[in-house]
Amino acid sequence: MHTKTVKLITILGVVSMSTSAIFGRMMTTPAIITAMYRMLVTALLLLPMVLLKHRQELLHIRKKNLLLCLLCGVILGIHFTAYMESVQYTRIASSTVLVDTEVLFVALALLFLFHEKIPKAGLIGIAVTLAGSIIIALGDTSGGSNILYGDLMALLGAVCSAAYTLIGRNQRQYLSTTVYTFLVYSSAAVTLFLGALFSGQPMTGYAPINFVYILAMAVFCTLLGHSIFSWGLKYISAAFISMSKLGEPVFATIMAVFLFSEIPQVNQVVGGLIVIAGIAMYLFTKESAPSAKH
């Protein structure tokens, strides 16, 4: 598939994923419960396809690949919990920006751990995008301790997201998107279930509307968001996948204006425009992509 087409689909996935913060703000369930049901519903939606079309691949998976997918699920579970927690305490614009700074951690890992070169134009695009993200985040410097806690949770989510992306970059060379995401989401659901048990959070008793939001998150934010990124790792680099997610705060902020009357500050508007400019620069970066299954 043509690289520019894959990049465009990836950006559409970012738009879909941007609704995650919106749904997270609407929900009244604890962050870990929200994340647990989101992963459980997503895994169940994938189960029929796995059994009908990918049963042999699942049955013959190598032990090493299985263990790495399970580890990836644990990391993803922590990521979702931290992110859902962050949107309850800080501005949606700041939360989405900070959680998407994973590109910085991915780029550093690619350079220093994997010795993978990033094209000069790509580095410039990343730098511009990060600069815009920092400008947006400056809006929280005068906030209280609760906002700081929310920001720190978003940063934890960023670190976990970077690790998730890098492991996925490796595993997508051996596994199809469907099997890979099914294993990861199932592992994340189990991890979050155990975490909820340990923390004493009740599993039921919440307003029914929460489960409508969870279903929407499973379809739009996960299957049409995160799964798109896993699919895209076949054709484009992990650096671009991570960098493109920095468009999330722009789309999420626009939604927050209309839904919550959460008007962004001037620095957040300026930073958002710079983020878009950085993404546009990276869209035209020529890059080689590894081979992976469909």
Side-chain angles (χ1 to χ4, degrees):
M1 185 175 289
H2 197 281
T3 300
K4 288 185 179 179
T5 302
V6 178
K7 288 181 176 180
L8 176 59
I9 294 174
T10 300
I11 296 302
L12 293 176
V14 174
V15 177
S16 183
M17 189 179 70
S18 300
T19 60
S20 179
I22 303 301
F23 289 126
R25 177 67 64 84
M26 292 177 173
M27 298 183 68
T28 58
T29 52
I32 194 168
I33 298 298
T34 299
M36 180 193 73
Y37 279 116
R38 173 181 175 178
M39 291 292 92
L40 176 61
V41 170
T42 307
L44 290 175
L45 290 174
L46 287 172
L47 182 59
M49 185 178 295
V50 172
L51 295 178
L52 291 174
K53 294 186 177 182
H54 299 274
R55 182 182 301 177
Q56 291 303 313
E57 180 184 353
L58 184 62
L59 291 176
H60 294 90
I61 188 173
R62 296 172 56 188
K63 183 178 179 180
K64 177 182 178 181
N65 297 127
L66 176 61
L67 291 176
L68 284 173
C69 286
L70 297 181
L71 172 62
C72 198
V74 173
I75 295 171
L76 184 63
I78 298 173
H79 160 76
F80 280 131
T81 302
Y83 185 30
M84 291 296 98
E85 185 80 355
S86 74
V87 297
Q88 298 297 328
Y89 290 93
T90 190
R91 295 183 181 92
I92 284 178
S94 298
S95 176
T96 51
V97 163
L98 292 173
V99 81
D100 288 326
T101 55
E102 69 162 282
V103 64
L104 177 61
F105 302 105
V106 169
L108 291 174
L110 291 176
L111 285 172
F112 298 107
L113 297 181
F114 299 98
H115 307 291
E116 181 174 313
K117 293 183 178 180
I118 298 176
K120 184 177 180 180
L123 291 174
I124 295 174
I126 290 174
V128 171
T129 307
L130 284 174
S133 301
I134 291 172
I135 291 174
I136 295 175
L138 288 176
D140 279 350
T141 54
S142 60
S145 59
N146 286 339
I147 292 181
L148 178 60
Y149 171 75
D151 289 346
L152 290 175
M153 286 295 99
L155 284 174
L156 173 60
V159 174
C160 292
S161 187
Y164 162 69
T165 298
L166 289 170
I167 295 175
R169 170 179 178 266
N170 173 267
Q171 290 307 296
R172 280 289 287 114
Q173 314 310 310
Y174 309 101
L175 302 173
S176 65
T177 304
T178 303
V179 170
Y180 168 71
T181 53
F182 173 75
L183 289 173
V184 170
Y185 298 156
S186 298
S187 174
V190 172
T191 299
L192 292 163
F193 173 75
L194 294 175
L197 282 179
F198 180 78
S199 63
Q201 296 285 0
M203 304 292 179
T204 59
Y206 303 103
I209 189 63
N210 286 293
F211 296 96
V212 176
Y213 294 147
I214 285 171
L215 177 60
M217 291 177 74
V219 173
F220 293 103
C221 310
T222 309
L223 292 178
L224 297 179
H226 284 271
S227 292
I228 290 290
F229 304 143
S230 297
W231 165 81
L233 288 170
K234 167 182 169 60
Y235 305 99
I236 54 181
S237 72
F240 178 81
I241 294 290
S242 294
M243 192 283 308
S244 66
K245 295 177 188 177
L246 286 171
E248 181 184 0
V250 178
F251 301 118
T253 298
I254 293 173
M255 296 178 199
V257 170
F258 292 100
L259 294 173
F260 308 121
S261 299
E262 194 170 288
I263 308 299
Q265 299 175 354
V266 174
N267 62 318
Q268 292 175 321
V269 174
V270 173
L273 293 174
I274 294 176
V275 167
I276 292 176
I279 292 175
M281 291 176 63
Y282 208 110
L283 276 172
F284 297 97
T285 299
K286 292 183 179 180
E287 55 189 320
S288 58
S291 174
K293 288 195 174 186
H294 292 280

